[in-house]
Each structure stands twice: as C-alpha cells, then as structure tokens.
Amino acid sequence: MFVLLNPLDLFSDISKSARPFVKWAGGKRSIIGDLLERIPDDFNSYFEPFVGGGALFWKICKNKSHLSDINFHLIVTYCMIRDNVEEVISRLEYHKKCHNKKYYMKMRTKLSKTEDPIEIASIFIYLNKTCYNGLYRVNKSGIFNVPIGRYDDPKIVDSDNLRKCSLSLKNVDIFQNGFLDIKPKNGDFVYLDPPYHETFSAYNSSVFGQNDHEELVTFCKQLDHSGILFMLSNNDTPLIRKLYDGYNMSNVNASRFISCKGGERKKTNELIIRNYVRKKEDKQCS
Ligand SMILES: C[S@@+](CC[C@H](N)C(=O)[O-])C[C@H]1O[C@@H](n2cnc3c(N)ncnc32)[C@H](O)[C@@H]1O
C-alpha cells in the first residue's frame, strides 16, 4: 500500500524539530507547553518582537512570520543561518579546531570589530557555546564581555540543527529593531517576551526598566484596539499584574537558571497574559 506524503507536511515536520541555536537568558523552553496550549486557534501572520533564542517560534514555524529583536549580533546571525548556513557551519568547524582560552579572548574582541555578517554569525554562535552560562552581556560601549565558561567539550557545531533552522527560516522576515517598530495587522498574532520585570534585564548596553514596561503595556493596548491578538509572558510581580489588569492572566511555574550562581535552578512564578481565549477554553467557561 502506498501512502502519499504531502511535501508541505514533510517540511513542517522537519522544521518543527528545529531547536534554538543559541542558549538564551530568559529562554522559554521550561514553559513551552503552557505557551503552546494558549496560542490562538487561528491567525494570519506571526510576530515575535523579542525573539532571543525563539523557543516558541521553533515550535510554531509558520511561513508568514516576522522575527525581530534589538540585539544586532543576534539578528545578523538569524539572517546568516537563513541565507548562508553552509558557510556558517564551515566557519564554526574552524572555531572548534582553534578553541582555547586565548582564541576565545581574541574572538570576543573581534565580535565588536568585524562587519562581515558571516564572521559575526559564526563568532556569535561560537561565543554563545563556550562562554559562561551562554550569557550575552555587553559593557557600556556595547562590547561583549562574558568570561569563558568551564566546559570539557562544548558542542560548538550542531550542523544538523542549524540546517533545520535554516529551512524553517526560509520565508521568514527578520529585522533588527525595537518592539515599537513592528507592523502587525488585524487578525495577526504577536507573542511578546520582554526582559522580565525585577530580574536579569541587561541584554544590551541599556536596561529594560519600568518605563519600558509601561510603554509596552500602552503598545499592547494599541494592538488590542486594532484587532490584533497578543500573548505576553513576564514575571509575576505586583507591577505587571497592575499594568495588565483586565486582560486574561494565567499563573504558571517555571524552573530557571539564576545567572549569578552558575548552574543553580530556581522555581519562579510567571504570568501569561492574553487579549483572547481559545474556543476550547470558552466552552469550559460557559
Ligand atoms: C526574555 S528574552 C526573549 C527570550 C526568547 N523568548 C527565547 O525563548 O529565547 C528578551 C529579548 O528582548 C530583547 N530586547 C530587549 N529590549 C528590547 C527592545 N526594546 N525591543 C526589542 N527587543 C528587545 C533582548 O535582546 C532579548 O533577546
């Protein structure tokens, strides 16, 4: 008996098995099930303006997607994985051969000096795989300053996953910009995962502070008024509860690394906030 495979299903299966290609502070892998069960039943395009490692995007993998983040090196890396993955892999093989403390320090300096996008992408991934806890931290001048991590055999090249990521990104728009610059339309879905309130928030040379959280809630209200679906994750703090009062809120448990104490995990309470409910939830309520 022949079973006819739909090439689109095959594409979706391969791309959905792609995983984040970087370890990222605040990555959503530990609450991914809670997020997936809350995505809307139906929507047009997908927007993720604080993409980081993109844990949710890799599960959804929708062709009509728009990914963005304020981090320049991260976004160049996404673009190069989409457009030139074989060259990225071959440069990573070279970094793997040369890896030692002296080489790490040399690449750390080079990251902020080079303008070659392939070089940026390969150095960015190399540093992420070998630095302390996979952190991305820069000083006031924007220079990456995380010390080398203690790994016996870091997995610097994961060519299989990088190729899957490349396939998933083929028709995706990728931009470096702030969250206010995205342009979703009525019927689109936006997932917002900003730096968490009252926790590590220094992904860039500036910190995401209370003013930014206030600006973000104003932005979410504009999305709501324009018929755009949004889901936002954040720490469960009194300020976040107050800012989003009136929206659909669920409290979930997550287990996170505490950045200052290497390797130590802690249980935290997080909020998932939405301006919609799914059909299934609606039935449960009535
Ligand atoms: C909590 S992390 C996102 C983690 C991501 N969801 C994941 O699964 O890895 C927050 C991200 O917001 C980005 N960011 C910080 N300020 C921003 C801004 N004003 N606009 C857009 N992105 C910003 C940071 O560079 C960081 O990648």
Side-chain angles (χ1 to χ4, degrees), residues 142-183:
I143 297 178
F144 183 79
N145 65 359
V146 180
I148 191 166
R150 288 202 200 131
Y151 303 104
D152 292 333
D153 186 18
K155 190 157 173 75
I156 294 169
V157 202
D158 184 349
S159 35
D160 184 41
N161 187 47
L162 286 171
R163 289 190 181 110
K164 284 178 185 163
C165 291
S166 181
L167 192 66
S168 313
L169 291 171
K170 280 295 172 243
N171 296 307
V172 170
D173 287 334
I174 304 169
F175 297 104
Q176 186 224 350
N177 52 33
F179 67 90
L180 292 171
D181 296 320
I182 63 165
K183 303 263 179 285

mmCIF file of all heavy atoms in Angstrom, residues 142-183:
data_model
loop_
_atom_site.group_PDB
_atom_site.id
_atom_site.type_symbol
_atom_site.label_atom_id
_atom_site.label_comp_id
_atom_site.label_asym_id
_atom_site.label_seq_id
_atom_site.Cartn_x
_atom_site.Cartn_y
_atom_site.Cartn_z
ATOM 1 N N GLY A 142 29.044 48.658 24.432
ATOM 2 C CA GLY A 142 28.448 47.637 23.565
ATOM 3 C C GLY A 142 29.406 46.492 23.242
ATOM 4 O O GLY A 142 29.173 45.740 22.298
ATOM 5 N N ILE A 143 30.500 46.342 24.037
ATOM 6 C CA ILE A 143 31.462 45.262 23.744
ATOM 7 C C ILE A 143 31.171 44.030 24.604
ATOM 8 O O ILE A 143 31.029 44.137 25.828
ATOM 9 C CB ILE A 143 32.908 45.774 23.934
ATOM 10 C CG1 ILE A 143 33.115 46.878 22.901
ATOM 11 C CG2 ILE A 143 33.936 44.647 23.770
ATOM 12 C CD1 ILE A 143 34.427 47.547 22.919
ATOM 13 N N PHE A 144 31.057 42.883 23.947
ATOM 14 C CA PHE A 144 30.738 41.615 24.623
ATOM 15 C C PHE A 144 31.813 41.314 25.672
ATOM 16 O O PHE A 144 33.005 41.301 25.367
ATOM 17 C CB PHE A 144 30.690 40.510 23.557
ATOM 18 C CG PHE A 144 30.307 39.151 24.080
ATOM 19 C CD1 PHE A 144 28.982 38.827 24.331
ATOM 20 C CD2 PHE A 144 31.273 38.179 24.309
ATOM 21 C CE1 PHE A 144 28.618 37.571 24.797
ATOM 22 C CE2 PHE A 144 30.918 36.919 24.776
ATOM 23 C CZ PHE A 144 29.590 36.619 25.017
ATOM 24 N N ASN A 145 31.401 41.057 26.931
ATOM 25 C CA ASN A 145 32.428 40.901 27.979
ATOM 26 C C ASN A 145 32.183 39.706 28.909
ATOM 27 O O ASN A 145 32.579 39.730 30.064
ATOM 28 C CB ASN A 145 32.556 42.206 28.787
ATOM 29 C CG ASN A 145 31.287 42.526 29.563
ATOM 30 O OD1 ASN A 145 30.314 41.786 29.480
ATOM 31 N ND2 ASN A 145 31.291 43.605 30.325
ATOM 32 N N VAL A 146 31.522 38.664 28.403
ATOM 33 C CA VAL A 146 31.268 37.480 29.249
ATOM 34 C C VAL A 146 32.532 36.605 29.287
ATOM 35 O O VAL A 146 33.133 36.353 28.233
ATOM 36 C CB VAL A 146 30.073 36.667 28.691
ATOM 37 C CG1 VAL A 146 29.798 35.442 29.544
ATOM 38 C CG2 VAL A 146 28.835 37.542 28.595
ATOM 39 N N PRO A 147 32.936 36.136 30.495
ATOM 40 C CA PRO A 147 34.128 35.276 30.554
ATOM 41 C C PRO A 147 33.876 33.894 29.948
ATOM 42 O O PRO A 147 32.710 33.494 29.763
ATOM 43 C CB PRO A 147 34.416 35.159 32.060
ATOM 44 C CG PRO A 147 33.177 35.575 32.740
ATOM 45 C CD PRO A 147 32.378 36.440 31.813
ATOM 46 N N ILE A 148 34.953 33.192 29.684
ATOM 47 C CA ILE A 148 34.838 31.840 29.112
ATOM 48 C C ILE A 148 34.179 30.907 30.136
ATOM 49 O O ILE A 148 34.356 31.078 31.347
ATOM 50 C CB ILE A 148 36.239 31.319 28.673
ATOM 51 C CG1 ILE A 148 36.118 30.042 27.835
ATOM 52 C CG2 ILE A 148 37.154 31.096 29.872
ATOM 53 C CD1 ILE A 148 37.409 29.678 27.084
ATOM 54 N N GLY A 149 33.382 29.952 29.661
ATOM 55 C CA GLY A 149 32.722 29.002 30.564
ATOM 56 C C GLY A 149 33.621 27.804 30.833
ATOM 57 O O GLY A 149 34.648 27.634 30.173
ATOM 58 N N ARG A 150 33.207 26.967 31.814
ATOM 59 C CA ARG A 150 34.012 25.769 32.122
ATOM 60 C C ARG A 150 33.357 24.552 31.504
ATOM 61 O O ARG A 150 32.497 23.931 32.103
ATOM 62 C CB ARG A 150 34.096 25.583 33.635
ATOM 63 C CG ARG A 150 34.963 26.602 34.289
ATOM 64 C CD ARG A 150 35.446 26.074 35.644
ATOM 65 N NE ARG A 150 35.866 27.213 36.434
ATOM 66 C CZ ARG A 150 35.494 27.433 37.673
ATOM 67 N NH1 ARG A 150 34.710 26.576 38.285
ATOM 68 N NH2 ARG A 150 35.926 28.494 38.316
ATOM 69 N N TYR A 151 33.688 24.273 30.258
ATOM 70 C CA TYR A 151 33.129 23.094 29.586
ATOM 71 C C TYR A 151 34.282 22.215 29.126
ATOM 72 O O TYR A 151 35.269 22.724 28.606
ATOM 73 C CB TYR A 151 32.332 23.502 28.334
ATOM 74 C CG TYR A 151 31.212 24.483 28.577
ATOM 75 C CD1 TYR A 151 31.363 25.830 28.234
ATOM 76 C CD2 TYR A 151 30.001 24.069 29.129
ATOM 77 C CE1 TYR A 151 30.339 26.742 28.443
ATOM 78 C CE2 TYR A 151 28.972 24.978 29.338
ATOM 79 C CZ TYR A 151 29.151 26.316 28.996
ATOM 80 O OH TYR A 151 28.137 27.211 29.199
ATOM 81 N N ASP A 152 34.140 20.889 29.288
ATOM 82 C CA ASP A 152 35.189 19.993 28.806
ATOM 83 C C ASP A 152 35.125 19.879 27.292
ATOM 84 O O ASP A 152 36.130 19.926 26.608
ATOM 85 C CB ASP A 152 35.024 18.588 29.419
ATOM 86 C CG ASP A 152 35.319 18.636 30.906
ATOM 87 O OD1 ASP A 152 36.104 19.530 31.300
ATOM 88 O OD2 ASP A 152 34.747 17.816 31.659
ATOM 89 N N ASP A 153 33.880 19.724 26.790
ATOM 90 C CA ASP A 153 33.753 19.500 25.350
ATOM 91 C C ASP A 153 32.495 20.214 24.844
ATOM 92 O O ASP A 153 31.480 19.574 24.564
ATOM 93 C CB ASP A 153 33.662 17.970 25.113
ATOM 94 C CG ASP A 153 33.672 17.648 23.640
ATOM 95 O OD1 ASP A 153 34.082 18.514 22.845
ATOM 96 O OD2 ASP A 153 33.243 16.519 23.282
ATOM 97 N N PRO A 154 32.555 21.548 24.731
ATOM 98 C CA PRO A 154 31.328 22.264 24.330
ATOM 99 C C PRO A 154 30.906 21.884 22.913
ATOM 100 O O PRO A 154 31.756 21.662 22.055
ATOM 101 C CB PRO A 154 31.748 23.741 24.386
ATOM 102 C CG PRO A 154 33.235 23.734 24.276
ATOM 103 C CD PRO A 154 33.714 22.443 24.873
ATOM 104 N N LYS A 155 29.568 21.786 22.685
ATOM 105 C CA LYS A 155 29.087 21.431 21.344
ATOM 106 C C LYS A 155 29.036 22.706 20.504
ATOM 107 O O LYS A 155 28.028 23.412 20.465
ATOM 108 C CB LYS A 155 27.716 20.762 21.422
ATOM 109 C CG LYS A 155 27.290 20.152 20.094
ATOM 110 C CD LYS A 155 26.264 19.058 20.302
ATOM 111 C CE LYS A 155 25.656 18.522 19.029
ATOM 112 N NZ LYS A 155 26.369 17.679 18.190
ATOM 113 N N ILE A 156 30.165 22.988 19.839
ATOM 114 C CA ILE A 156 30.280 24.247 19.088
ATOM 115 C C ILE A 156 29.539 24.158 17.751
ATOM 116 O O ILE A 156 28.919 25.122 17.313
ATOM 117 C CB ILE A 156 31.783 24.588 18.895
ATOM 118 C CG1 ILE A 156 32.396 24.886 20.272
ATOM 119 C CG2 ILE A 156 31.980 25.766 17.942
ATOM 120 C CD1 ILE A 156 33.900 24.989 20.295
ATOM 121 N N VAL A 157 29.581 23.005 17.107
ATOM 122 C CA VAL A 157 28.913 22.871 15.799
ATOM 123 C C VAL A 157 27.806 21.819 15.877
ATOM 124 O O VAL A 157 28.095 20.647 16.084
ATOM 125 C CB VAL A 157 29.895 22.401 14.690
ATOM 126 C CG1 VAL A 157 29.367 22.778 13.321
ATOM 127 C CG2 VAL A 157 31.293 22.915 14.897
ATOM 128 N N ASP A 158 26.565 22.272 15.702
ATOM 129 C CA ASP A 158 25.451 21.320 15.604
ATOM 130 C C ASP A 158 24.850 21.508 14.207
ATOM 131 O O ASP A 158 23.835 22.181 14.028
ATOM 132 C CB ASP A 158 24.426 21.614 16.726
ATOM 133 C CG ASP A 158 23.292 20.593 16.749
ATOM 134 O OD1 ASP A 158 23.185 19.804 15.789
ATOM 135 O OD2 ASP A 158 22.517 20.595 17.736
ATOM 136 N N SER A 159 25.553 20.941 13.211
ATOM 137 C CA SER A 159 25.180 21.238 11.819
ATOM 138 C C SER A 159 23.777 20.741 11.484
ATOM 139 O O SER A 159 23.048 21.402 10.736
ATOM 140 C CB SER A 159 26.202 20.676 10.830
ATOM 141 O OG SER A 159 26.710 19.483 11.279
ATOM 142 N N ASP A 160 23.365 19.624 12.080
ATOM 143 C CA ASP A 160 22.048 19.080 11.788
ATOM 144 C C ASP A 160 20.957 20.093 12.197
ATOM 145 O O ASP A 160 20.073 20.444 11.412
ATOM 146 C CB ASP A 160 21.927 17.761 12.585
ATOM 147 C CG ASP A 160 20.639 17.051 12.281
ATOM 148 O OD1 ASP A 160 20.267 17.034 11.106
ATOM 149 O OD2 ASP A 160 19.997 16.533 13.224
ATOM 150 N N ASN A 161 21.078 20.607 13.422
ATOM 151 C CA ASN A 161 20.067 21.572 13.890
ATOM 152 C C ASN A 161 20.151 22.883 13.104
ATOM 153 O O ASN A 161 19.126 23.473 12.763
ATOM 154 C CB ASN A 161 20.241 21.834 15.388
ATOM 155 C CG ASN A 161 19.114 22.691 15.927
ATOM 156 O OD1 ASN A 161 17.933 22.439 15.660
ATOM 157 N ND2 ASN A 161 19.453 23.755 16.640
ATOM 158 N N LEU A 162 21.376 23.334 12.791
ATOM 159 C CA LEU A 162 21.495 24.600 12.044
ATOM 160 C C LEU A 162 20.818 24.486 10.676
ATOM 161 O O LEU A 162 20.159 25.422 10.220
ATOM 162 C CB LEU A 162 22.970 24.981 11.878
ATOM 163 C CG LEU A 162 23.639 25.512 13.150
ATOM 164 C CD1 LEU A 162 25.146 25.649 12.958
ATOM 165 C CD2 LEU A 162 23.042 26.856 13.564
ATOM 166 N N ARG A 163 20.951 23.314 10.039
ATOM 167 C CA ARG A 163 20.295 23.147 8.720
ATOM 168 C C ARG A 163 18.776 23.133 8.868
ATOM 169 O O ARG A 163 18.060 23.690 8.043
ATOM 170 C CB ARG A 163 20.775 21.854 8.046
ATOM 171 C CG ARG A 163 22.211 21.976 7.585
ATOM 172 C CD ARG A 163 22.641 20.815 6.712
ATOM 173 N NE ARG A 163 24.025 21.001 6.335
ATOM 174 C CZ ARG A 163 25.049 20.248 6.799
ATOM 175 N NH1 ARG A 163 24.821 19.229 7.585
ATOM 176 N NH2 ARG A 163 26.284 20.521 6.424
ATOM 177 N N LYS A 164 18.274 22.520 9.941
ATOM 178 C CA LYS A 164 16.811 22.527 10.168
ATOM 179 C C LYS A 164 16.337 23.960 10.420
ATOM 180 O O LYS A 164 15.290 24.378 9.930
ATOM 181 C CB LYS A 164 16.456 21.659 11.377
ATOM 182 C CG LYS A 164 16.517 20.177 11.098
ATOM 183 C CD LYS A 164 16.190 19.419 12.366
ATOM 184 C CE LYS A 164 16.365 17.928 12.177
ATOM 185 N NZ LYS A 164 16.440 17.205 13.453
ATOM 186 N N CYS A 165 17.126 24.713 11.199
ATOM 187 C CA CYS A 165 16.751 26.114 11.478
ATOM 188 C C CYS A 165 16.717 26.895 10.166
ATOM 189 O O CYS A 165 15.804 27.687 9.914
ATOM 190 C CB CYS A 165 17.766 26.769 12.426
ATOM 191 S SG CYS A 165 17.712 26.104 14.096
ATOM 192 N N SER A 166 17.704 26.660 9.317
ATOM 193 C CA SER A 166 17.787 27.388 8.052
ATOM 194 C C SER A 166 16.533 27.143 7.212
ATOM 195 O O SER A 166 15.924 28.072 6.675
ATOM 196 C CB SER A 166 19.039 26.933 7.303
ATOM 197 O OG SER A 166 19.145 27.620 6.105
ATOM 198 N N LEU A 167 16.117 25.894 7.156
ATOM 199 C CA LEU A 167 14.916 25.530 6.399
ATOM 200 C C LEU A 167 13.681 26.240 6.961
ATOM 201 O O LEU A 167 12.857 26.782 6.233
ATOM 202 C CB LEU A 167 14.749 24.005 6.503
ATOM 203 C CG LEU A 167 13.766 23.336 5.591
ATOM 204 C CD1 LEU A 167 14.236 23.458 4.145
ATOM 205 C CD2 LEU A 167 13.643 21.846 5.950
ATOM 206 N N SER A 168 13.594 26.273 8.289
ATOM 207 C CA SER A 168 12.423 26.907 8.924
ATOM 208 C C SER A 168 12.389 28.413 8.701
ATOM 209 O O SER A 168 11.331 29.016 8.790
ATOM 210 C CB SER A 168 12.447 26.695 10.431
ATOM 211 O OG SER A 168 12.707 25.381 10.736
ATOM 212 N N LEU A 169 13.563 29.007 8.463
ATOM 213 C CA LEU A 169 13.613 30.473 8.343
ATOM 214 C C LEU A 169 13.468 30.952 6.900
ATOM 215 O O LEU A 169 13.414 32.164 6.659
ATOM 216 C CB LEU A 169 14.943 30.996 8.905
ATOM 217 C CG LEU A 169 15.144 30.872 10.421
ATOM 218 C CD1 LEU A 169 16.577 31.217 10.812
ATOM 219 C CD2 LEU A 169 14.172 31.792 11.176
ATOM 220 N N LYS A 170 13.391 30.013 5.943
ATOM 221 C CA LYS A 170 13.464 30.392 4.524
ATOM 222 C C LYS A 170 12.522 31.531 4.128
ATOM 223 O O LYS A 170 12.916 32.430 3.420
ATOM 224 C CB LYS A 170 13.211 29.175 3.612
ATOM 225 C CG LYS A 170 14.441 28.299 3.451
ATOM 226 C CD LYS A 170 15.589 29.016 2.726
ATOM 227 C CE LYS A 170 16.871 28.198 2.745
ATOM 228 N NZ LYS A 170 17.989 28.818 3.462
ATOM 229 N N ASN A 171 11.267 31.496 4.586
ATOM 230 C CA ASN A 171 10.334 32.551 4.157
ATOM 231 C C ASN A 171 9.976 33.498 5.291
ATOM 232 O O ASN A 171 8.880 34.052 5.332
ATOM 233 C CB ASN A 171 9.057 31.916 3.605
ATOM 234 C CG ASN A 171 9.366 31.127 2.368
ATOM 235 O OD1 ASN A 171 9.970 31.651 1.433
ATOM 236 N ND2 ASN A 171 9.009 29.854 2.372
ATOM 237 N N VAL A 172 10.903 33.658 6.203
ATOM 238 C CA VAL A 172 10.612 34.462 7.390
ATOM 239 C C VAL A 172 11.286 35.833 7.271
ATOM 240 O O VAL A 172 12.424 35.928 6.829
ATOM 241 C CB VAL A 172 11.113 33.696 8.645
ATOM 242 C CG1 VAL A 172 11.066 34.556 9.882
ATOM 243 C CG2 VAL A 172 10.293 32.425 8.839
ATOM 244 N N ASP A 173 10.572 36.894 7.655
ATOM 245 C CA ASP A 173 11.164 38.236 7.671
ATOM 246 C C ASP A 173 11.886 38.425 8.995
ATOM 247 O O ASP A 173 11.311 38.149 10.060
ATOM 248 C CB ASP A 173 10.073 39.314 7.585
ATOM 249 C CG ASP A 173 9.484 39.377 6.190
ATOM 250 O OD1 ASP A 173 10.188 39.011 5.237
ATOM 251 O OD2 ASP A 173 8.312 39.776 6.079
ATOM 252 N N ILE A 174 13.115 38.906 8.930
ATOM 253 C CA ILE A 174 13.924 39.057 10.143
ATOM 254 C C ILE A 174 14.483 40.486 10.185
ATOM 255 O O ILE A 174 15.112 40.924 9.221
ATOM 256 C CB ILE A 174 15.094 38.037 10.140
ATOM 257 C CG1 ILE A 174 14.541 36.609 9.979
ATOM 258 C CG2 ILE A 174 15.928 38.140 11.394
ATOM 259 C CD1 ILE A 174 15.585 35.555 9.693
ATOM 260 N N PHE A 175 14.239 41.181 11.300
ATOM 261 C CA PHE A 175 14.673 42.586 11.390
ATOM 262 C C PHE A 175 15.330 42.874 12.724
ATOM 263 O O PHE A 175 14.916 42.326 13.756
ATOM 264 C CB PHE A 175 13.475 43.539 11.304
ATOM 265 C CG PHE A 175 12.746 43.474 10.016
ATOM 266 C CD1 PHE A 175 11.524 42.823 9.944
ATOM 267 C CD2 PHE A 175 13.277 44.052 8.865
ATOM 268 C CE1 PHE A 175 10.840 42.741 8.742
ATOM 269 C CE2 PHE A 175 12.596 43.978 7.669
ATOM 270 C CZ PHE A 175 11.373 43.327 7.601
ATOM 271 N N GLN A 176 16.297 43.791 12.697
ATOM 272 C CA GLN A 176 16.807 44.310 13.969
ATOM 273 C C GLN A 176 16.034 45.590 14.249
ATOM 274 O O GLN A 176 16.164 46.575 13.518
ATOM 275 C CB GLN A 176 18.304 44.643 13.900
ATOM 276 C CG GLN A 176 18.839 45.041 15.264
ATOM 277 C CD GLN A 176 19.743 46.253 15.263
ATOM 278 O OE1 GLN A 176 20.159 46.732 14.207
ATOM 279 N NE2 GLN A 176 20.048 46.762 16.436
ATOM 280 N N ASN A 177 15.184 45.582 15.259
ATOM 281 C CA ASN A 177 14.530 46.810 15.684
ATOM 282 C C ASN A 177 13.905 46.650 17.065
ATOM 283 O O ASN A 177 13.886 45.562 17.627
ATOM 284 C CB ASN A 177 13.505 47.328 14.649
ATOM 285 C CG ASN A 177 12.507 46.288 14.219
ATOM 286 O OD1 ASN A 177 12.130 45.438 14.992
ATOM 287 N ND2 ASN A 177 12.058 46.378 12.980
ATOM 288 N N GLY A 178 13.418 47.771 17.594
ATOM 289 C CA GLY A 178 12.760 47.759 18.888
ATOM 290 C C GLY A 178 11.318 47.285 18.717
ATOM 291 O O GLY A 178 10.774 47.305 17.597
ATOM 292 N N PHE A 179 10.667 46.885 19.807
ATOM 293 C CA PHE A 179 9.320 46.300 19.697
ATOM 294 C C PHE A 179 8.307 47.268 19.110
ATOM 295 O O PHE A 179 7.333 46.862 18.486
ATOM 296 C CB PHE A 179 8.855 45.752 21.061
ATOM 297 C CG PHE A 179 8.621 46.788 22.127
ATOM 298 C CD1 PHE A 179 7.382 47.372 22.271
ATOM 299 C CD2 PHE A 179 9.649 47.179 22.980
ATOM 300 C CE1 PHE A 179 7.152 48.336 23.251
ATOM 301 C CE2 PHE A 179 9.428 48.136 23.961
ATOM 302 C CZ PHE A 179 8.177 48.720 24.097
ATOM 303 N N LEU A 180 8.541 48.597 19.280
ATOM 304 C CA LEU A 180 7.564 49.574 18.790
ATOM 305 C C LEU A 180 7.520 49.639 17.257
ATOM 306 O O LEU A 180 6.589 50.195 16.690
ATOM 307 C CB LEU A 180 7.903 50.971 19.329
ATOM 308 C CG LEU A 180 7.722 51.167 20.831
ATOM 309 C CD1 LEU A 180 8.288 52.515 21.276
ATOM 310 C CD2 LEU A 180 6.241 51.075 21.202
ATOM 311 N N ASP A 181 8.540 49.064 16.597
ATOM 312 C CA ASP A 181 8.626 49.178 15.135
ATOM 313 C C ASP A 181 7.879 48.098 14.360
ATOM 314 O O ASP A 181 7.830 48.144 13.139
ATOM 315 C CB ASP A 181 10.101 49.149 14.690
ATOM 316 C CG ASP A 181 10.848 50.354 15.219
ATOM 317 O OD1 ASP A 181 10.255 51.442 15.212
ATOM 318 O OD2 ASP A 181 11.990 50.179 15.672
ATOM 319 N N ILE A 182 7.322 47.096 15.049
ATOM 320 C CA ILE A 182 6.647 46.040 14.282
ATOM 321 C C ILE A 182 5.306 46.558 13.747
ATOM 322 O O ILE A 182 4.712 47.467 14.337
ATOM 323 C CB ILE A 182 6.446 44.738 15.109
ATOM 324 C CG1 ILE A 182 5.542 44.964 16.329
ATOM 325 C CG2 ILE A 182 7.795 44.160 15.542
ATOM 326 C CD1 ILE A 182 5.036 43.674 16.950
ATOM 327 N N LYS A 183 4.852 45.961 12.625
ATOM 328 C CA LYS A 183 3.630 46.468 11.977
ATOM 329 C C LYS A 183 2.626 45.342 11.707
ATOM 330 O O LYS A 183 2.305 45.030 10.559
ATOM 331 C CB LYS A 183 3.975 47.128 10.631
ATOM 332 C CG LYS A 183 4.988 48.261 10.701
ATOM 333 C CD LYS A 183 4.283 49.620 10.737
ATOM 334 C CE LYS A 183 5.254 50.791 10.833
ATOM 335 N NZ LYS A 183 5.853 50.989 12.137
#
